[in-house]
Amino acid sequence: MLDVAPTELLLIAIIALLVIGPKDLPKAMRFVGNWVGKAKRTAAHFRTGIDTMMREAELEEMEKKWKAENERIMREHPPTAHYPDPPAPQALPPHEGDVEEDAGPQQTAKPVIHDEAPVRPEPTPIRDEPELPLGSPEPLPRPDRLP
């Protein structure tokens, strides 16, 4: 980037202090900092765009290479009829309790009817604890003074 030595920066700072003055120097530095930030953001955006375009160009080039390689392999090894067809998928045996859909009317499942309502357990009653007095008449013994 810019090759600026520390002594050159010191010289620029002294000249800026003399020309702008100590009163307006913070405003000028803020203004310069804002412009430098905008320039950096613009450069980063431009660099990101260039990188994206390069990646897309590389992907297109790789796709062309893959397509050419695929065509070469297909020419060298053409599909022939001597390859057997893959076996047809077989149905799994039914699980116990499953009803087959094509079973017919003689094997239809009958609905189960319960005459009685299901028995639910009674809820456990909440026990009320006896109320304790707010102040105990005797102080509790301290652990260090146990008999």
Side-chain angles (χ1 to χ4, degrees), residues 1 35-45 47:
M1 270 183 69
W35 276 99
V36 168
K38 286 181 183 179
K40 284 184 178 181
R41 284 190 296 273
T42 303
H45 183 69
R47 190 176 324 121

Side-chain angles (χ1 to χ4, degrees), residues 3-146:
D3 189 23
V4 180
T7 54
E8 293 172 346
L9 284 176
L10 182 63
L11 181 65
I12 292 172
I14 291 173
I15 292 173
L17 183 62
L18 293 175
V19 172
I20 298 173
K23 182 179 177 185
D24 294 329
L25 190 60
K27 291 179 186 175
M29 295 300 289
R30 194 174 309 120
F31 180 77
V32 169
N34 286 339
W35 276 99
V36 168
K38 286 181 183 179
K40 284 184 178 181
R41 284 190 296 273
T42 303
H45 183 69
F46 181 73
R47 190 176 324 121
T48 303
I50 295 294
D51 289 344
T52 302
M53 288 183 355
M54 288 176 56
R55 254 186 256 119
E56 288 175 359
E58 288 174 359
L59 284 175
E60 288 175 5
E61 185 178 317
M62 289 175 70
E63 286 177 1
K64 288 179 184 177
K65 287 181 182 178
W66 288 339
K67 188 175 181 180
E69 184 68 18
N70 190 23
E71 289 175 0
R72 183 190 65 80
I73 292 171
M74 293 304 286
R75 276 193 312 270
E76 291 177 5
H77 307 285
T80 58
H82 72 274
Y83 291 121
D85 290 334
Q90 297 178 355
L92 295 174
H95 293 320
E96 293 179 20
D98 287 350
V99 178
E100 296 181 15
E101 294 178 13
D102 298 332
Q106 68 273 13
Q107 293 184 358
T108 57
K110 295 180 181 177
V112 178
I113 300 173
H114 296 285
D115 292 335
E116 299 176 6
V119 178
R120 293 186 180 162
E122 291 292 324
T124 312
I126 298 174
R127 296 182 186 164
D128 290 335
E129 296 292 328
E131 292 185 19
L132 297 174
L134 293 177
S136 66
E138 297 178 15
L140 296 174
R142 293 180 22 187
D144 58 340
R145 295 187 181 174
L146 289 177

